[in-house]
Amino acid sequence: MAIKEKPDTKQNKLLEILGKEYKWENYLLLVVALVALALASMILLGELVPNVDFPIIGSYPNLFAWVLMGVSVFGLLLVLIPFLKPVYPEFAKITWASKKEFIDNSIRVFVFIIILAIFFLLSDILIRAVVDAIGWRS
């Protein structure tokens, strides 16, 4: 049986460039999205006021800020989703403590904290008594 060869199709150069994943593109997108989020926040809070003569933005600064914020949140999602995708299967592997174990462990922690607080309180009282007895007060 003969094996059919796939014909070589020439891909558009622009699609080839856009389809290629570059090493630092997510970090660049993260920086741009954070800067856009900061600028949108500054415009909404009144810290940054666009020039009234600036086309479109000058007339509707709040609308521009909300659109900019939406674009920056979308950019942040594009950056964070690839990092968070492997997390979901790990959540299935987690075993949580039962209610009885949780309460038992919580009581143990509180008792330990109380013991440590009493230890430090007694240490402080002892050190103060020693310092007062020696006369090292300044």
Side-chain angles (χ1 to χ4, degrees), residues 15 60 67 121 131 135:
L15 291 177
Y60 307 102
V67 169
L121 179 67
V131 167

Side-chain angles (χ1 to χ4, degrees), residues 23-45:
K23 183 177 181 181
W24 298 102
E25 69 184 358
N26 278 343
Y27 299 118
L28 179 63
L29 181 59
L30 177 66
V31 169
V32 170
L34 289 175
V35 168
L37 187 64
L39 287 174
S41 300
M42 288 171 64
I43 291 173
L44 288 174
L45 293 174

Side-chain angles (χ1 to χ4, degrees), residues 68-135:
L68 186 62
M69 187 171 287
V71 169
S72 65
V73 167
F74 182 70
L76 287 173
L77 287 175
L78 284 176
V79 170
L80 294 177
I81 286 175
F83 290 109
L84 297 178
K85 211 178 239 185
V87 169
Y88 295 114
E90 296 298 323
F91 276 138
K93 298 176 185 177
I94 296 175
T95 56
W96 297 99
S98 68
K99 184 176 181 179
K100 182 179 183 263
E101 290 173 331
F102 176 75
I103 291 172
D104 184 48
N105 290 337
S106 298
I107 290 171
R108 288 175 189 224
V109 167
F110 284 125
V111 168
F112 182 72
I113 289 172
I114 290 170
I115 291 171
L116 274 179
I118 291 170
F119 171 75
F120 287 123
L121 179 67
L122 293 175
S123 298
D124 184 47
I125 291 171
L126 178 68
I127 291 172
R128 243 182 233 201
V130 169
V131 167
D132 286 343
I134 295 175

